[in-house]
Amino acid sequence: MKYGLFFKKRLRQIKEYQILTIDEEEELKNELLIKHIKNAYGKSLFYKNLYNSYGVNLNQIQNKEDLVNLPIITKELIKDNVNDIYTGNKFIKHTSYTSGTTGSPLKVYYSLNCVLNEASYNEVFRNNAGHFYGDRVISLRGALNGKEKEYFDKFNNTLYLSSYHIKPENAKWYFEKINLFKPKTILAYPSSLEALSNVFLRHNLKVDIPLAFTSSETLYPHQQDKIEKTLDTKIFDRYGNAERTISLVQKTHRGEYIFPKLYSVNEFISEGEIFTTNLINREFPLIRYQVNDIIEVNRNNKVKQIGGRVDDCIITKDGLQIGSAAMSLAFKQVPNILVSQIIQYTIEELIVNIVVNDKFLDKDEIFLIKEIQQRLNSTVKLSINRVREENIIKTSKNKYKLIVSHLNK
């Protein structure tokens, strides 16, 4: 579906979007947006009922500035209405789910049109870094189950390696597989690349993988430094969501994140409050959908920081919300920590679980406590636990988060 008969044609179209002038982009964006909204109202029972109940007059919606006249939708509002939202072919659709460490996942649908769009935007992102379809790829993204260790997809020239078997005793196996395959690119969650780096470091092994593309998790500075050195690679990161309503990509190595043209319409109302409207999945329209992630932008809508989910911030006694991007810097300063995770059950206490190597000393732990407290700017009890890597909380899809909050859950 992704790379079949219609892929090259769709890829050409998405590439043409990238060379539009600002004025051309704004004109086409408004045109696509109005068609999107009218199509949703005309074909989706969910939007027809929602807009009628709010007294929406579609004639008032002429451009993206008029979106304020439409109601906001949330995950909680749509999770029981996905079948009434979808307007495409019921027999040709892909079902996916959002993921998290707690709570119920949201089911979403992708049409073939959406799959082609997403694959094309991904290809443009990778082309900018120097990777092109057909280059040798290793995928370390949890596609294999816990039983299979490898699978080669000849059609896509991709070797899938299990992310569930990254353990010290398997270090040489991964090392040999990578060296034999000689990939140009590796696709992975940041935590999987960090885990691979940890087992290689333990055995004094290094590989050469020119490009790494990460997504689906926050990429923390302390992870990036370790991964790029151990795998001799350059990481290009992408932020997105399963709902396909927002995307941010790094066009240059360690460069700023940019919004791909005509992927979506994004409204940054206030800090921590983002409403998104997808343009790439017209058969599953999400219009003014609230994204529960922290994305800080400046006055020119340039991205300053991507900080993780709103509900996975540390909350202090004085009401401050401190995101994972800021907290990750505390661990960057401390040597000999392999993996770390902060868990918050109450306002008064934080549990910090760390996986360390044999060189980690008591003085390192004292320094870590100091680094964390400096960033909290608040008196809080810290419990530091040295744990095994299997004690680090991950989702069913093997995803990792630096901060796991249980407040208000």
Side-chain angles (χ1 to χ4, degrees), residues 132-230:
F132 295 89
Y133 180 70
D135 290 342
R136 289 175 178 266
V137 175
I138 283 182
S139 178
L140 197 69
R141 288 180 47 84
L144 301 182
N145 57 38
K147 296 180 181 179
E148 296 177 288
K149 289 181 71 174
E150 64 175 307
Y151 170 76
F152 178 61
D153 178 357
K154 185 177 180 180
F155 181 77
N156 291 307
N157 206 13
T158 298
L159 176 63
Y160 290 87
L161 298 181
S162 170
S163 62
Y164 298 97
H165 292 83
I166 303 175
K167 300 174 183 178
E169 58 265 32
N170 293 328
K172 291 185 179 179
W173 182 85
Y174 281 95
F175 176 74
E176 290 170 0
K177 288 292 177 183
I178 292 171
N179 276 343
L180 183 63
F181 189 64
K182 293 181 172 55
K184 181 178 183 179
T185 299
I186 189 166
L187 313 177
Y189 302 146
S191 60
S192 296
L193 288 183
E194 183 181 29
L196 187 66
S197 298
N198 286 337
V199 298
F200 281 177
L201 286 169
R202 189 171 296 185
H203 289 78
N204 198 28
L205 301 172
K206 289 190 69 174
V207 294
D208 177 12
I209 308 175
L211 298 172
F213 295 104
T214 55
S215 61
S216 303
E217 296 173 351
T218 301
L219 173 65
Y220 303 111
H222 68 280
Q223 292 176 316
Q224 184 162 4
D225 292 344
K226 179 196 301 181
I227 294 164
E228 292 193 336
K229 184 178 180 180
T230 307

Side-chain angles (χ1 to χ4, degrees), residues 72-79 98-100 102-106 218 239-243 245-246 266-268 270-276 286 288-296 305-313 321 323-324 401 403 405 409:
I72 298 158
I73 61 174
T74 63
K75 174 181 175 180
E76 291 70 27
L77 178 63
I78 69 173
K79 66 181 180 180
T98 61
S99 63
T102 60
S104 59
L106 171 68
T218 301
Y239 162 84
N241 60 5
E243 298 93 313
T245 65
I246 188 170
N266 308 299
E267 304 169 76
F268 298 92
S270 62
E271 187 174 335
E273 192 173 33
I274 310 161
F275 306 144
T276 61
L286 293 176
R288 300 205 85 201
Y289 176 70
Q290 185 171 11
V291 174
N292 293 321
D293 287 332
I294 298 173
I295 301 175
E296 295 183 25
Q305 179 175 284
I306 303 174
R309 296 189 63 81
V310 172
D311 58 356
D312 286 305
C313 295
Q321 290 190 0
S324 54
K401 290 189 286 189
I403 299 172
S405 174
K409 291 184 180 178

Side-chain angles (χ1 to χ4, degrees), residues 360-371 373:
F360 188 83
L361 303 173
D362 289 341
K363 68 177 183 178
D364 296 326
E365 183 171 316
I366 293 170
F367 185 62
L368 174 62
I369 292 171
K370 180 182 176 182
E371 288 292 310
Q373 287 178 334

Side-chain angles (χ1 to χ4, degrees), residues 34 59-70:
I34 301 309
N59 293 324
Q60 293 180 333
I61 314 299
Q62 298 296 322
N63 52 52
K64 65 178 185 176
E65 281 71 30
D66 296 331
L67 283 171
V68 294
N69 297 311
L70 299 178

